[in-house]
Amino acid sequence: MARKHILHMLTPLGHMSPFDVNMALDAGFDAVLPYVGVSPGEVTGLVQDAIFSRPPDAGVDTGIFIAGKDVSLALDMFDAARKAMVPPFKVSVFADPAGSFTTAAAMVAKVEKALQAKFDRGLNDSRIAIFGATGVVGFCTAVIAAKEGAHVTLVGHDGVERVKKVAAEIESRFEASVDIADGSTEAGNKRAVAASEIVLTAAKAGVQVISKAQFENAGDLLIAADVNAVPPAGIEGLTVNANAEPLEATKAVGIGPLAIGNVKYKVEFGLFKKMIEAEKAVTFDFQDAFALAREIAK
């Protein structure tokens, strides 16, 4: 009899995301078990309970999913889960806190594809401004883009203190350098946009981050993209389904949240499928999400 594919989903929050539960079951897991309020110190015990309950050759049929809304905490839990393995007892591990790894991967992959198709260039040396950089998606987007050679600037809507801390963590954890800018004023936002070739917004849903007026001096702007589908758009004039189409009031093209979301969905679903179909235990983080997003993005 074939063994069941079991996924144990760990989150430090009070509930597991229904989105992730649905995705895992639709991808083919036979059973999905959520564990809420999990602290980093509890990860080792939970993972070892999972690995020792089945023979070593069944490890590939067992998965651990790391959720939550804090990138650093999720990465710490991810590392703890990997270190909890006792060879030959191993299971697969996938981290995607608040969908941030797969969403960020999809956004950067769509931007990269548009750069190649529209401007015959890549991410390397591109000037990218990220608005909403203190959130989970903005954080991951900054890391992925910086590691691809882009010059990334984190724009702080409430000043530079919080983005300064994010920049320091990115440098210490990933050895990637990013700049910061003050976006707490209209003038500050205009300067950040004008200095950029690519503008990415990952702020809270339903908040307009960039107005048409802020594009006035953005002569170098090539691409503007937003991940939030709740009105109003994060970027004024950007439609939800824009797919590298001309952006109103600019010479750039825009990428809307539905175009990004379509890739994000396929990436998360695809990584769950890869866990199920793998012949040996695998581990997936934002870098694996970006690799798959590159294959999927059109």
Side-chain angles (χ1 to χ4, degrees):
M1 184 177 68
R3 293 191 181 95
K4 300 291 186 182
H5 294 291
I6 301 172
L7 183 66
H8 302 279
M9 308 183 85
L10 316 184
T11 179
L13 302 179
H15 61 81
M16 180 60 65
S17 164
F19 186 103
D20 294 327
V21 172
N22 289 351
M23 289 283 283
L25 286 168
D26 285 346
F29 278 100
D30 298 301
V32 172
L33 295 309
Y35 301 76
V36 301
V38 177
S39 69
E42 295 175 298
V43 172
T44 297
L46 290 169
V47 171
Q48 291 182 348
D49 266 2
I51 65 175
F52 291 135
S53 65
R54 310 179 92 177
D57 64 344
V60 70
D61 298 313
T62 307
I64 303 292
F65 180 78
I66 307 296
K69 287 190 175 181
D70 184 312
V71 173
S72 298
L73 181 57
L75 288 171
D76 288 343
M77 293 173 71
F78 181 73
D79 288 340
R82 292 191 301 174
K83 292 175 182 176
M85 307 302 168
V86 184
F89 293 90
K90 293 183 178 181
V91 297
S92 295
V93 185
F94 173 23
D96 193 20
S100 59
F101 289 2
T102 49
T103 301
M107 174 180 262
V108 180
K110 288 294 293 182
V111 167
E112 181 182 54
K113 188 67 69 175
L115 279 171
Q116 293 168 342
K118 301 289 185 179
F119 307 105
D120 193 28
R121 57 181 289 185
L123 290 165
N124 189 50
D125 288 332
S126 296
R127 304 192 307 274
I128 301 179
I130 300 177
F131 294 77
T134 57
V136 287
V137 175
F139 183 107
C140 293
T141 300
V143 174
I144 294 171
K147 290 179 77 69
E148 290 301 313
H151 300 294
V152 176
T153 298
L154 312 181
V155 184
H157 78 278
D158 54 358
V160 298
E161 288 307 311
R162 289 203 301 151
V163 288
K164 186 184 295 183
K165 291 178 182 177
V166 172
E169 182 166 4
I170 288 173
E171 184 168 359
S172 64
R173 188 183 282 270
F174 301 104
E175 298 182 348
S177 178
V178 298
D179 296 320
I180 61 173
D182 187 347
S184 60
T185 65
E186 177 78 6
N189 275 349
K190 280 188 175 182
R191 283 194 298 271
V193 172
S196 304
E197 295 171 305
I198 300 165
V199 168
L200 308 178
T201 60
K204 291 181 179 179
V207 176
Q208 181 180 290
V209 180
I210 303 296
S211 67
K212 292 179 183 177
Q214 291 168 343
F215 287 126
E216 286 177 359
N217 299 315
D220 293 336
L221 188 67
L222 303 176
I223 298 173
D226 179 38
V227 296
N228 292 315
V230 178
I235 298 173
E236 188 178 9
L238 179 64
T239 60
V240 291
N241 58 356
N243 190 14
E245 296 159 4
L247 177 64
E248 188 179 347
T250 76
K251 296 178 182 178
V253 297
I255 302 173
L258 295 189
I260 294 169
N262 183 50
V263 175
K264 178 266 187 296
Y265 176 91
K266 292 177 180 177
V267 171
E268 184 173 349
F269 184 89
L271 291 177
F272 277 135
K273 289 285 288 184
K274 284 178 178 288
M275 290 178 80
I276 294 168
E277 296 169 356
E279 295 183 359
K280 61 181 182 180
V282 294
T283 57
F284 297 138
D285 63 8
F286 67 89
Q287 296 177 89
D288 303 286
F290 183 52
L292 183 56
R294 276 177 150 167
E295 296 177 17
I296 293 170
K298 296 179 181 179

